[in-house]
Structures are given as C-alpha cells and as structure tokens.
Amino acid sequence: MEPSLYGMRLSIRHLRSRLFASTRLADRLKRSYRAAFAEAAGAGARRVGLFLVERAATGRLNVVDATFMLTTASYIPGDSSFELAMAGHLAAAGRSFVKPLRYDGDAVFPDFIVIDTDPHTYVEVYGIRGRVGYELRRRRRIRG
C-alpha cells in the first residue's frame, strides 16, 4: 500500500492493474488486520488478500472492502511473526502439522497441532508480553 491522490494505491503481485482504496478504508483495514500489516512480520512473510472491487467508468479498480491473512512464504497462515517463525521451523524439520484457523466465535484453538506424534502434540506460541488480554487468554489456554 502506498499513498495516492485520493487515498491508497495497492499493488498486487499477480495483478497488472493497481487497486485503489479510500484512506478511510485503508486505515480500517490496517487496524482490523494488524498482524498482516505489521513490520515485524519479517522477510518472507506474505499477505493474502481477498478484495471486493468496483470498476469505475475510467476503468480504475476501486476497493469496496477487503480481508487479509498473514502467511509464511509457503502460505501457512499465522497470527503473528512468532507463529510464522514456528510454522517455518516445523516445516523445515519435516514435521506433519495442522494450523487451525480462527473464525467467528469463542472457540479456542491451539496454534499448531503436530500430527506425526501419538498422541498428537498441541503447540502454543506465546510471543507477546505485558498485554492483559493476551495474558488472560494464555492462562485460559494453559488451564485447557
């Protein structure tokens, strides 16, 4: 994303045309998908986006809404740079694992499930310190 005359211009790797979004929409997307836009995501991280666009009379593609997901270079989803690092280590070690995805609802899922062990191994990545909500969620997960 880079500033444009009326908002933001988005360059998509596999799309020749640029997409355009209002500053208001771009700000909302950055707030809603902080992990995907964090500088700490690191080299090799990818952002996967799904865009709802309208074609203007001029042919320009205007973004109406969008959603983003942070992934590793091999498209394994992660909610933080710490999860991306863990996914990379598991993949490099040749481990078989599942990355449960978080959707609407209150269900709590592990960050990873290593499925080449019997029983399966549940992996939690705790990378943030000092945030009250995160600490409460961590304690709830530990209790099971």
Side-chain angles (χ1 to χ4, degrees):
M1 273 191 200
E2 56 190 25
S4 72
L5 187 58
Y6 300 106
M8 301 299 283
R9 179 176 37 243
L10 292 87
S11 298
I12 309 299
R13 182 175 301 213
H14 305 292
L15 183 65
R16 179 180 288 162
S17 302
R18 304 237 196 254
L19 302 179
F20 294 87
S22 68
T23 302
R24 182 176 169 205
L25 175 61
D27 289 345
R28 183 178 61 80
L29 293 172
K30 287 178 184 178
R31 278 192 317 275
S32 296
Y33 304 101
R34 289 181 196 273
F37 290 100
E39 293 296 322
R46 296 182 189 262
R47 291 181 199 117
V48 176
L50 178 63
F51 301 90
L52 174 61
V53 298
E54 291 180 338
R55 185 177 300 277
T58 60
R60 189 172 103 162
L61 298 175
N62 294 320
V63 178
V64 175
D65 203 359
T67 186
F68 290 91
M69 179 184 287
L70 180 65
T71 73
T72 66
S74 55
Y75 298 102
I76 300 168
D79 291 327
S80 69
S81 60
F82 300 105
E83 284 189 21
L84 294 186
M86 176 59 80
H89 290 301
L90 289 170
R95 304 304 299 264
S96 295
F97 64 95
V98 173
K99 170 61 175 129
L101 299 178
R102 184 170 34 105
Y103 293 102
D104 291 340
D106 292 333
V108 177
F109 298 107
D111 292 329
F112 299 93
I113 304 170
V114 179
I115 59 174
D116 59 7
T117 60
D118 186 25
H120 294 165
T121 303
Y122 296 88
V123 178
E124 289 292 332
V125 179
Y126 299 117
I128 300 173
R129 298 190 195 286
R131 190 180 302 165
V132 175
Y134 188 86
E135 288 295 324
L136 291 172
R137 181 171 160 246
R138 182 179 71 82
R139 287 188 204 127
R140 188 172 73 184
R141 283 184 166 195
I142 289 171
R143 281 194 307 264

